[in-house]
């Protein structure tokens, strides 16, 4: 088995895969109707077909192309099509059936205003809306529907790759969702991406003998890097299905592990609960999952219970508890930069609940001690990165003290695209502020919470300010008097969204109308489902000393109110 | 039919919303209206399977087909009729 050599630009990896692995399986795309297999040769021929189309449309090296496509093999071809010609691709979330078309168009407008793509490719249903969205811009991007199936000469594209593209240049972008996420096009240079892939692949023990099985969407960093670019650049075959297919029938994923001898996957925590709860053991008769050597749980807080639920549910079919791994990182560090050691379940750290919440000290206690609570380890740093825990004044803290997690090293983004102001704010004396709170014990990182009020639902980042912007426009809600926050739902293994708004009307029917309007708008404008919409009289919400709505203080107030009600009942 | 509507109302309020007091109209858009998310459809499917002893294929659990209680009731009635 060959180990791919070290490259300096993504095109060199393409050259290696195309010349040395032409006939090996690169991609299997499972859809509800069919299964298609592509060798590296076939894969790059399709990618070259896209490069030809892009060139005919006038796209030039260095220019941004935004891909808004339904999950499919074609978006993976188009991405590499752009890379082959030296253009900069970015995959953008497509319209879901719940989201309002007009709001979606406005979101894309915001992205276009900042990122200034030259070309947007999309699917027929969305084309008219997008075409109409940019008519007022001085230099509107071209909007086009590309036809799948075209093939081209990838060798010719590789031979003609522009010399002026250097390893430190931006190779591609990634945007997270929501109005706030869109402001931040995260830039990945050739060099940082390739070095990251080398180091992370080694932490995961990846080899060309592995096979990835995945359903993660590619507009998300774990999907784009974890289950697409990393295995692809490491020469590991990928078997994909769409997230919709997986939600409807998660067994498809297990059947793929069985049929293709799958070895590795990445999933957010909620997916472990979902699969264990959804999949009926009767449907698994004859399935062999023993080839599965690694399930990396990442992108939302890891619950030891979820890991346990999953491994016990699927153990009879060959899934091994030691295949569970945990990883942590941010899109700004390319992706996950801490990993738990291979072949053993993540360490569970039992600490004193009171000491950690009141004094921010992770004091170890026996598992059965009163007031004990557990944190799952996120593992150790991969080589090439440094991490430190600091207090609010920026002073470094010793082991087992909870503070802000800062990182720096070789694998960092090159800044937010066209937003030097945001980039500058993201760093503190050269260290990237991850926004997570955690502690280090015996060299392993434990994440305990977030400094930012970010909500993570099913692995997807939701910015509370985006939801509050929606709430503040709902008739009947006192403008500026609304908060959104997340609370853990243990059964689902992820956070639920709670919103509290102040309203003037005491009328229950009016309040019911407002509540429905809030739910509808949150779904259509922000693509989220609120678990609880709580309407309160004026004056209920707490403001911080700076005059802003204090999300965590209001969450605590709400919890206390609930507890008081329960105590009364 | 009214019993079926009530059964869905009770199930959605108590099990999905975890708020038994919550009032849901039969024609109210549940997923597009932001009351439940599409993951909850899986639980709706299991509820139908358990209550009316029907096997619900995954392809039927879509937002287009199951966004209101009226749609869910029509689905169950249709399936029960075809079973006879």
């Amino acid at each position: 088995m060959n180990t791919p050599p070290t490259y300096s630009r993504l095109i060199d990896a393409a050259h290696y895969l195309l010349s040395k692995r032409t006939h090996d399986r690169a991609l299997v795309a499972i859809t509800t109707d069919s299964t298609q297999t592509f060798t590296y040769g076939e894969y790059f021929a399709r990618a070259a077909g896209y490069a030809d189309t892009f060139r005919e449309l006038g796209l030039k090296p260095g220019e941004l192309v935004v891909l808004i496509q339904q999950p499919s093999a074609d978006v993976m071809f188009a991405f590499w099509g752009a890379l082959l010609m030296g253009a900069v691709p970015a995959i953008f979330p497509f319209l879901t059936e719940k989201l309002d078309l007009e709001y979606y168009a406005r979101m894309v407008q915001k992205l276009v205003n900042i990122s200034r793509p030259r070309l947007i490719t999309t699917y027929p249903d969305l084309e008219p809306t997008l075409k109409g969205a940019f008519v007022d811009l001085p230099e509107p991007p071209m909007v086009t529907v590309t036809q799948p199936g075209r093939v081209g000469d990838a060798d010719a594209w590789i031979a003609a790759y522009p010399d002026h593209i250097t390893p430190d240049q931006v190779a591609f972008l990634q945007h997270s969702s929501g109005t706030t996420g869109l402001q931040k096009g995260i830039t990945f240079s050739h060099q940082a991406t390739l070095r990251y892939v080398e180091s992370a692949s080694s932490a995961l023990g990846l080899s060309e003998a592995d096979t990835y099985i995945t359903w993660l969407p590619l507009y998300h960093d774990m999907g784009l890097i974890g289950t697409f670019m990393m295995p692809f650049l490491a020469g590991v075959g990928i078997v994909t299905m769409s997230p919709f297919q997986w939600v409807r029938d998660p067994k498809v994923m297990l059947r793929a592990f069985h049929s293709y001898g799958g070895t590795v996957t990445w999933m957010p925590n909620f997916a472990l609960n979902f699969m264990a709860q959804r999949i009926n053991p009767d449907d698994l008769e004859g399935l062999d999952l023993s080839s599965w050597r690694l399930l990396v749980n990442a992108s939302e807080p890891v619950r030891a219970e979820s890991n346990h639920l999953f491994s016990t549910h699927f153990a009879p079919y060959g899934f091994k508890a030691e295949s569970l791994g945990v990883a942590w990182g941010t899109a700004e560090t390319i992706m996950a930069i801490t990993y738990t050691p291979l072949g053993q379940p993540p360490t569970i750290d039992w600490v004193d609940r009171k000491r950690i919440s009141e004094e921010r000290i992770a004091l170890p206690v026996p598992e059965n001690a009163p007031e004990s609570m557990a944190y799952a380890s996120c593992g150790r740093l991969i080589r090439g990165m440094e991490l430190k825990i600091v207090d609010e004044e920026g002073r470094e803290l010793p082991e087992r003290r909870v503070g802000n997690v800062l990182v720096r090293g070789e694998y960092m983004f090159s800044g937010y695209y066209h937003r030097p102001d945001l980039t500058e704010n993201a760093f503190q004396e050269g260290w990237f502020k991850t926004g997570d709170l955690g502690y280090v014990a015996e060299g392993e990182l434990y994440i305990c919470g977030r400094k930012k009020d970010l909500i993570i639902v099913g692995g997807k980042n939701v910015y509370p300010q985006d939801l509050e912007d929606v709430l503040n426009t709902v008739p009947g809600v006192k403008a500026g008097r609304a908060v959104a926050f997340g609370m853990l739902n243990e059964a689902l293994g992820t956070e639920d969204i709670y919103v509290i708004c102040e309203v003037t009307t005491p009328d229950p029917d009016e309040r019911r109308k407002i509540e429905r309007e809030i739910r509808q708008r949150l779904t259509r404008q922000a693509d989220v489902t609120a678990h609880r919409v709580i309407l309160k009289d004026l004056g209920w919400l707490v403001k911080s000393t700076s005059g802003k709505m204090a999300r965590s203080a209001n969450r605590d107030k709400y919890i206390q109110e609930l507890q008081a009600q329960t105590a009364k009942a | 039919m009214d019993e079926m509507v009530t059964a869905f109302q009770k199930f959605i309020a108590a099990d999905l919303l975890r708020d038994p007091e919550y009032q849901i109209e039969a024609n109210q858009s549940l997923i597009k209206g932001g009351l439940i998310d599409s993951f909850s459809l899986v639980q709706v499917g299991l509820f139908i399977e358990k209550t009316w002893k029907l096997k619900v294929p995954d392809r039927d659990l879509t937002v287009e087909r199951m966004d209101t209680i009226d749609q869910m009731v029509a689905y169950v009635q249709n399936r029960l009729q075809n079973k006879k």
Side-chain angles (χ1 to χ4, degrees):
Chain A
M1 200 53 62
N2 297 323
T3 309
T6 306
Y7 323 106
S8 60
R9 298 183 304 178
L10 298 183
I11 199 74
D12 307 324
H15 177 65
Y16 169 83
L17 292 168
L18 191 56
S19 54
K20 300 280 191 257
R21 306 277 312 277
T22 315
H23 303 293
D24 292 347
R25 185 174 71 197
L27 177 70
V28 178
I30 300 175
T31 67
T32 38
D33 316 313
S34 67
T35 298
Q36 276 186 295
T37 301
F38 302 90
T39 63
Y40 287 97
E42 290 161 340
Y43 185 98
F44 280 109
R46 299 286 184 121
Y50 274 96
D52 291 339
T53 303
F54 293 154
R55 177 172 53 193
E56 285 160 17
L57 290 165
L59 187 71
K60 294 190 180 64
E63 289 182 332
L64 178 63
V65 50
V66 171
L67 312 172
I68 305 181
Q69 276 162 263
Q70 308 272 13
S72 64
D74 269 279
V75 71
M76 300 166 106
F77 300 142
F79 194 83
W80 265 100
L83 292 173
L84 280 180
M85 65 175 297
V88 177
I91 297 173
F92 190 68
F94 47 88
L95 182 74
T96 65
E97 53 203 341
K98 289 177 292 178
L99 209 55
D100 188 271
L101 195 59
E102 192 191 319
Y103 278 91
Y104 180 80
R106 244 185 259 173
M107 259 170 42
V108 181
Q109 273 170 339
K110 283 208 171 92
L111 165 90
V112 166
N113 275 329
I114 297 165
S115 297
R116 303 261 164 218
R118 171 89 177 136
L119 177 67
I120 298 178
T121 74
T122 189
Y123 47 99
D125 290 353
L126 205 53
E127 191 192 15
T129 308
L130 291 181
K131 276 198 160 147
F134 314 117
V135 284
D136 298 334
L137 289 181
E139 284 175 79
M142 272 180 291
V143 177
T144 187
V145 173
T146 46
Q147 296 304 322
R150 183 172 177 178
V151 294
D153 182 351
D155 286 316
W157 275 108
I158 291 169
Y161 193 77
D163 282 337
H164 62 79
I165 296 179
T166 51
D168 58 336
Q169 276 181 22
V170 173
F172 56 95
L173 303 188
Q174 190 250 322
H175 294 83
S176 67
S177 49
T179 322
T180 305
L182 275 187
Q183 317 282 323
K184 300 176 174 179
I186 295 165
T187 52
F188 297 83
S189 74
H190 292 264
Q191 187 167 278
T193 306
L194 286 163
R195 285 196 186 154
Y196 170 78
V197 167
E198 212 186 316
S199 185
S201 305
S202 136
L204 294 175
L206 285 192
S207 79
E208 289 171 3
D210 275 311
T211 299
Y212 263 56
I213 312 285
T214 178
W215 54 267
L216 295 182
L218 299 181
Y219 54 78
H220 183 285
D221 59 332
M222 187 158 92
L224 180 67
I225 306 292
T227 67
F228 174 37
M229 288 302 272
M230 174 161 33
F232 194 85
L233 290 166
V236 175
I238 306 168
V239 178
T240 67
M241 61 211 69
S242 91
F244 305 115
Q245 204 181 347
W246 175 80
V247 168
R248 262 177 241 154
D249 184 10
K251 291 189 299 293
V252 179
M253 184 183 193
L254 300 182
R255 279 196 219 107
F257 268 98
H258 173 93
S259 308
Y260 295 96
T263 58
V264 181
T265 199
W266 291 67
M267 290 199 287
N269 190 74
F270 88 96
L272 278 69
N273 288 51
F274 180 72
M275 288 184 80
Q277 285 158 2
R278 173 68 181 129
I279 298 175
N280 191 333
D282 296 348
D283 295 333
L284 298 179
E285 222 39 64
L287 217 59
D288 179 8
L289 302 177
S290 59
S291 60
W292 195 342
R293 71 170 183 86
L294 187 57
L295 190 179
V296 188
N297 185 337
S299 98
E300 66 180 331
V302 169
R303 312 264 314 150
E305 296 86 340
S306 304
N307 279 348
H308 179 73
L309 192 67
F310 189 93
S311 60
T312 46
H313 196 80
F314 297 112
Y317 311 95
F319 184 82
K320 302 173 283 289
E322 61 267 27
S323 303
L324 286 160
V326 177
W328 170 88
T330 74
E332 286 86 348
T333 56
I334 313 298
M335 211 203 31
I337 52 165
T338 70
Y339 291 88
T340 52
L342 292 174
Q344 62 185 75
T347 315
I348 303 295
D349 195 34
W350 291 91
V351 300
D352 187 283
R353 187 186 299 270
K354 221 171 145 174
R355 297 290 300 272
I356 200 160
S357 67
E358 287 171 12
E359 297 164 55
R360 314 231 288 179
I361 295 171
L363 181 77
V365 292
E367 182 177 338
N368 54 6
E371 292 292 312
S372 69
M373 68 181 296
Y375 286 105
S377 168
C378 292
R380 292 169 187 278
L381 268 183
I382 52 175
R383 58 163 199 272
M385 292 301 285
E386 291 174 81
L387 178 148
K388 68 176 179 180
I389 309 288
V390 300
D391 66 13
E392 291 307 318
E393 280 75 48
R395 286 180 300 240
E396 192 163 354
L397 293 169
E399 282 215 337
R400 293 202 164 274
R401 292 287 297 275
V402 178
N404 302 322
V405 184
L406 306 188
V407 296
R408 71 176 180 194
E410 284 179 49
Y411 330 120
M412 293 299 296
F413 72 136
S414 321
Y416 299 112
Y417 199 58
H418 295 177
R419 289 302 300 265
D421 52 331
L422 291 177
T423 308
E424 200 189 317
N425 283 340
F427 289 87
Q428 180 174 323
E429 288 163 12
W431 291 78
F432 176 72
K433 298 180 277 186
T434 66
D436 278 341
L437 296 173
Y439 65 92
V440 172
E442 278 126 52
E444 297 195 30
L445 175 70
Y446 294 84
I447 295 292
C448 325
R450 287 184 289 274
K451 188 176 160 61
K452 296 182 272 199
D453 293 321
L454 183 73
I455 308 168
I456 309 183
V457 184
K460 185 178 129 177
N461 291 355
V462 177
Y463 294 87
Q465 57 268 40
D466 290 353
L467 307 188
E468 289 157 7
D469 286 346
V470 173
L471 298 173
N472 285 327
T473 62
V474 176
V477 171
K478 180 86 178 157
R481 308 288 300 180
V483 290
F485 52 84
M487 289 222 274
L488 175 71
N489 178 330
E490 292 203 13
L492 300 182
T494 190
E495 284 187 309
D496 277 335
I497 295 172
Y498 285 67
V499 302
I500 306 181
C501 307
E502 289 183 3
V503 292
T504 39
T505 177
D507 182 57
D509 286 337
E510 280 298 310
R511 285 196 171 200
R512 197 170 304 130
K513 263 191 220 155
I514 296 173
E515 188 240 300
R516 285 200 189 164
E517 186 62 27
I518 288 173
R519 288 184 177 278
Q520 171 122 357
R521 289 197 190 198
L522 286 174
T523 295
R524 297 179 60 125
Q525 299 177 18
D527 202 12
V528 299
T529 304
H531 177 66
R532 283 275 185 278
V533 173
I534 303 134
L535 302 183
K536 293 285 186 190
D537 296 332
L538 291 187
W540 190 93
L541 288 168
V542 187
K543 280 198 168 190
S544 71
T545 44
S546 62
K548 284 189 183 162
M549 281 295 152
R551 298 186 187 105
S552 58
N554 283 304
R555 178 174 60 189
D556 294 346
K557 185 174 174 183
Y558 174 69
I559 293 170
Q560 276 165 14
E561 223 180 66
L562 278 186
Q563 285 166 344
Q565 277 168 9
T566 321
K568 249 190 249 166
Chain B
M1 176 167 170
D2 286 349
E3 281 166 27
M4 234 180 238
V5 171
T6 313
F8 275 112
Q9 281 169 331
K10 274 190 176 164
F11 161 72
I12 293 167
D15 289 38
L16 301 185
L17 302 175
R18 284 177 284 137
D19 182 2
E21 308 294 305
Y22 196 91
Q23 293 176 29
I24 309 162
E25 315 289 334
N27 63 357
Q28 188 179 342
S29 184
L30 301 175
I31 298 157
K32 290 183 184 167
L35 200 63
I36 60 173
D37 63 20
S38 37
F39 280 97
S40 304
L41 277 182
V42 169
Q43 279 156 284
V44 171
L46 293 173
F47 175 71
I48 295 174
E49 289 182 3
K50 202 178 84 194
T51 314
W52 292 284
K53 310 279 177 280
L54 290 168
K55 184 93 186 139
V56 182
D58 295 306
R59 64 169 181 278
D60 289 348
L61 294 172
T62 62
V63 180
E64 284 77 38
R65 291 178 193 207
M66 298 271 183
D67 197 31
T68 65
I69 290 182
D70 282 339
Q71 281 178 305
M72 293 173 190
V73 168
Y75 175 84
V76 173
Q77 283 182 329
N78 189 14
R79 289 286 312 277
L80 288 174
Q81 226 135 50
N82 290 341
K83 214 171 151 186
K84 277 175 196 165

